[in-house]
Amino acid sequence: MLAMRILSEAGDGPNMSLAGLLFAGIAFFLLIIVVGWLTSVRKQDNAEGTHEVKNSGK
């Protein structure tokens, strides 16, 4: 609702031509966050796995 209020023009109602762009930007932002989170989780798993291999060789 806040997004619609921000996009409204002088009480004429919401400007729907910008709403699609706004929601596409929000979706892209959330996608980047999820991809970054998944990448960091995989890197931590790989770092722990290689660390255990080095210690088991001693």
Side-chain angles (χ1 to χ4, degrees), residues 3-15:
M4 291 299 164
R5 215 176 320 157
I6 290 171
L7 293 173
S8 67
E9 292 181 350
D12 292 338
N15 182 357

Side-chain angles (χ1 to χ4, degrees), residues 6-31:
I6 290 171
L7 293 173
S8 67
E9 292 181 350
D12 292 338
N15 182 357
M16 296 306 289
S17 65
L18 294 178
L21 184 61
L22 175 69
F23 291 125
I26 291 171
F28 180 73
F29 179 71
L30 291 176
L31 178 69

